[in-house]
């Protein structure tokens, strides 16, 4: 088996999304929105004759989990949790609160929308989306009788019964996903999740529900992940083997599920959120979309196997590039050529 | 003033609470004191004095039984009346609650007096026996005899310069000093060692009376002999032989160990004073200071079972020198030291030896340092290179339990690794240090499990053409550390001595775990230091450095490599020696 760990790590460096601390642009955009809401929201509420609300922000999603990747289309997304010190009773219709937030942001960019689980601010450059900020609004856990935080769901077009406060706890989700692994294994899991997300971005269209959600791949990976090392003692990981095993394990999890609507079986992957509301993260994918997903995943598994069987790293990397794109490096042939190892080696031993 | 104020305030509060009956304050210049009574059921009341010094509550209250013998001769009460109600060692006082300290002191005293009056704690005299014995007008004797359970003849060796010793033979004294003829002997007399039975109750001599007569001693101690020792004692006196002028008794203590004490008979009569109706002109108590191997090694934290163990230390540098000293302190009985270098002045700031040993061979200097400082250890120097020692079979390796190599030269150690690992060779520990405080390692080879050796560390798991590098290293492979950096005492690393010490500690712990059969496998143990100095010097750490402490522990056996050309086909695990 060729050793392509170096190339996997270079690939990871290329696709990894920098954290706020290292990414001034994203941090600025995030902070502009935070500041604007702090200034404008109280006025908006006052205009509507509603009581002033105290709230705070939290980074969420792949930033928080450190599983974010560089977008292919340049559309970065910033996930922000906005926690209000109110019980859900304060706004029985959560869409009203979302509209207040929307109003506070209007005029900030050309495009601000209330979406099912968030309020989204789109930034554009020359008509192209450059990034968007998803604001998820929460009623703080402490404010509710059962101590659980709730997410404001629904949009203006929804009937009233679909506008709900849904139990949601992104902070403990992080724990649930990473609790199984530690240290170098946890680092490997993060890399594997990023590889899968880049693969997804390349293989599926971003619109509609044809692409698996990032969180769905993340939870599936965390469920099935087994750390793999080329040399566990020396701390040398083997991402190719870990990814091969994981892909095979996810494929093995597809099962025949009875679909009442079509009165037939559908081969589907079910991955549930490991906490309330325990929903299937693939539920929005249609059966035909699921079939495409399975086929492409199967293709990925075959390519990973072939790459693993290659002896020459150059050939292995060419195969991998087919699935992961040009960010996956292919070494020059002489880079990997075998030279006779030196017989004089410097040693760091002393006594 | 403030402290004195606290003492009197607390004492007044204690009296107001009625902790003492019929209390009356007593003048006390530096503190506060009161006299009063404690109830002792069955015996009425006991009069005591409670004194809180200026240092109270850091110092415990002093409580005296006045007069001291009003309840008879009872344990834990000194002739001046002081009641020993608590040992200070191992005690933490909550000085924020001074009144409770007084209350608890009185409660403990009360319990001791009740138990003393009823005889419930008479067995405690055994534990305090030595203290009472030392209150007599006794002479001092040093003892290197290891107590056992049989009556036996012993020697009393007198030296004008070095005091008086009791031993079974002159060899015991030589073992203590690690050399023959260590003391100039002026006189040798005969003595007898007499062990008493475990669990026997012996009342110590009363401090307010004259010391025992020969008859009193017989009455008190001879009933405490086991039947077989009674028979042995008779045989001792039946045979012709010198009359023992000195008798050393051993009194087993409740919690293990024993108290030694003795008597000297001046001008014993024809019938020995230990025999019925035997006499002597006079009898004098002897107080025994124990210097025997069993006592020193168990009391000092050493391990008596290590006494039989024999260990070779190869390389007596910054790490090896410390290993030798620590093995001796741990109680290992025999050490062979292999090194052909002399201690140079520039070694001083990292070596366990110092200025006194400059220009001496490290082996010889370590031998004299260890043997003069630590009793009961035999150090054998081999002032040659290990390659030569093995080539000439200068050491019979099969006579040793363990070899520890701290040579600091991977090439030599890989060769040594190849030569060891056979049934007739001992287990080995290889230990080394990395530069700039990044860490150190100790690897056990040929322990109680098959597989795993030094060569495994230099064998890639899956790549035949991989460069020859140490998979355990915390510094990334392929970097050149110059001599200035890789030596332990480099000018660039002020922690050089500490790094060597930490590595030696790691190696000695592993050695003891192996020798004491705690360690059943062949682990590689590492300590991981800070990376700052290494990176500041422009070097990189390895992937293994990135492992967390848990991961390092979990993978400590995972280095073993089935592809290893040395141990890959080697199967037999070592039978326990």
């Amino acid at each position: 088996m060729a050793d392509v760990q170096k190339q996997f790590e270079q690939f990871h460096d290329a696709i990894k999304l920098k954290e706020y601390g290292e990414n001034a642009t994203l941090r600025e955009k995030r902070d502009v929105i935070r500041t604007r809401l702090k200034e404008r929201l109280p006025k908006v509420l006052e205009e509507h004759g509603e009581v002033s609300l105290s709230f705070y922000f939290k980074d969420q999603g792949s930033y928080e989990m450190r599983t974010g990747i560089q977008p292919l289309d340049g559309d970065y997304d910033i996930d922000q949790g906005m926690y209000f010190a109110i019980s859900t009773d304060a706004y029985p219709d959560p869409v009203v609160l979302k509209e207040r937030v929307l109003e506070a942001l209007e005029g900030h960019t050309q495009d601000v929308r209330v979406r099912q689980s968030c309020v989204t601010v789109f930034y554009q450059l020359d008509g192209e989306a450059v990034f968007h900020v998803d604001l998820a609004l929460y009623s703080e856990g402490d404010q509710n009788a059962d101590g659980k935080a709730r997410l404001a769901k629904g949009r203006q077009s929804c009937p009233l019964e679909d506008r709900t406060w849904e139990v949601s706890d992104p902070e403990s989700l992080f724990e649930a996903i990473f609790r199984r692994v530690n240290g170098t294994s946890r680092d490997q899991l993060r890399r594997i999740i990023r590889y899968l997300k880049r693969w997804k971005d390349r293989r599926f269209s971003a619109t509609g529900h044809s692409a698996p959600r990032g969180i769905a791949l993340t939870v599936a990976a965390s469920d099935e992940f087994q750390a793999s090392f080329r040399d566990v003692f020396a701390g040398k990981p083997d991402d190719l083997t870990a990814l091969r095993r994981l892909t095979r394990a996810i494929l093995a999890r597809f099962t025949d599920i009875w679909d009442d609507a079509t009165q037939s079986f559908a081969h589907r992957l079910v991955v549930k959120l490991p906490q309330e509301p325990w929903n299937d993260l693939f539920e929005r994918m249609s059966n035909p979309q699921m079939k495409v997903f399975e086929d492409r995943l199967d293709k990925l598994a075959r390519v990973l196997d072939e790459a693993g069987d290659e002896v020459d790293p150059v050939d292995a990397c060419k195969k991998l590039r087919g699935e992961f794109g040009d960010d996956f490096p292919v070494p020059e042939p002489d880079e990997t050529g075998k030279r006779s190892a030196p017989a004089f080696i410097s040693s760091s031993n002393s006594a | 003033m403030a402290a004195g104020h606290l003492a009197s305030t607390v004492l007044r509060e204690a009296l107001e609470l009625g902790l003492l009956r019929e209390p009356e304050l007593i003048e006390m210049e530096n503190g506060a004191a009161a006299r009063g009574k404690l109830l002792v059921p069955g015996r009425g009341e006991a009069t005591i004095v409670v004194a809180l010094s200026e240092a109270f509550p850091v110092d415990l209250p002093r409580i005296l039984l006045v007069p001291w013998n009003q309840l008879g001769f009872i344990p834990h009460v000194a002739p001046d009346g002081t009641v020993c109600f608590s040992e200070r060692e191992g005690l933490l006082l909550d000085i924020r609650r001074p009144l409770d300290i007084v209350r608890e002191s009185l409660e403990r005293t009360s319990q001791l007096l009740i138990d003393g009056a009823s005889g419930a704690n008479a067995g405690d005299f055994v534990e305090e026996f030595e203290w009472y014995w030392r209150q007599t007008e006794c002479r001092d004797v040093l003892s290197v005899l290891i107590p056992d359970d049989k009556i036996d003849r012993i020697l009393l060796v007198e030296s004008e310069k070095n005091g008086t010793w009791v031993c079974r033979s002159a060899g015991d004294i030589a073992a203590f000093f690690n050399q023959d003829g260590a003391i100039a002997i002026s006189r040798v007399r005969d003595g007898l060692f007499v062990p008493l039975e475990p669990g026997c109750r012996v009342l110590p001599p009363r401090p307010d009376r004259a010391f025992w007569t020969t008859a009193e001693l017989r009455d008190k101690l001879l009933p405490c002999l086991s039947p077989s020792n009674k028979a042995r004692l008779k045989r001792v006196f039946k045979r012709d032989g010198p009359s023992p002028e000195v008798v050393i008794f051993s009194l087993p203590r409740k919690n293990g160990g024993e108290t030694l004490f003795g008597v000297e008979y001046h001008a014993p009569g024809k019938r020995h004073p230990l025999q019925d109706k035997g006499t002597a002109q006079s009898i004098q108590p002897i107080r025994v200071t124990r210097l025997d191997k069993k006592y020193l090694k168990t009391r000092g934290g050493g391990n008596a079972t290590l006494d039989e163990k024999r260990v070779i230390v190869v390389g007596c540098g910054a790490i090896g020198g410390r290993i030798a000293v620590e093995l001796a302190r741990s109680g290992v009985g025999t050490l062979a030291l292999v090194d052909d270098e002399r201690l140079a002045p520039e070694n001083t700031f990292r070596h366990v030896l110092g200025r006194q040993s400059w220009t001496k061979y490290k082996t010889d200097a370590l031998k004299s340092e260890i043997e003069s400082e630590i009793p009961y250890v035999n150090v054998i120097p081999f002032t040659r290179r290990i390659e030569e020692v093995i080539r000439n079979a200068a050491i019979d390796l099969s006579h040793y339990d363990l070899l520890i190599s701290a040579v600091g030269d991977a090439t030599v150690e890989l060769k040594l690794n190849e030569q060891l690992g056979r049934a007739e060779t001992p287990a080995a520990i290889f230990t080394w240090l990395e530069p700039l405080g990044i860490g150190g390692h100790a690897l056990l080879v040929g322990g109680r499990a098959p597989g795993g050796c030094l060569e495994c560390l230099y064998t890639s798991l899956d790549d035949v053409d991989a460069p020859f590098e140490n998979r355990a290293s915390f510094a990334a492979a392929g970097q050149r550390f110059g001599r200035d950096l890789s030596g332990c005492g480099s000018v660039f690393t002020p922690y050089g001595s500490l790094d060597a010490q930490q590595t030696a500690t790691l190696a000695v712990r592993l050695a003891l775990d192996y020798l004491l059969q705690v360690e059943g496998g062949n682990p590689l143990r590492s300590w991981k230091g800070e990376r700052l100095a290494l990176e500041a010097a422009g070097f990189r750490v390895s992937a293994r450095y990135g492992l967390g402490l848990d991961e390092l522990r979990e993978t400590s056996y995972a280095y073993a490599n089935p592809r290893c050309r040395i141990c890959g086909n080697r199967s037999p695990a070592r039978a326990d020696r």
Side-chain angles (χ1 to χ4, degrees), chain A residues 204-219:
Chain A
F204 300 88
S205 152
T207 53
H209 297 307
S210 65
R213 297 167 65 194
I215 182 68
L217 290 178
T218 301
V219 174

Side-chain angles (χ1 to χ4, degrees), chain A residues 1 8 226 228-229 238-246:
Chain A
M1 188 175 106
F8 263 106
Q226 273 183 286
S228 298
F229 290 87
D238 181 354
D239 288 1
L240 177 56
T241 301
L243 190 55
R244 276 168 88 175
R245 287 185 184 162
L246 175 67

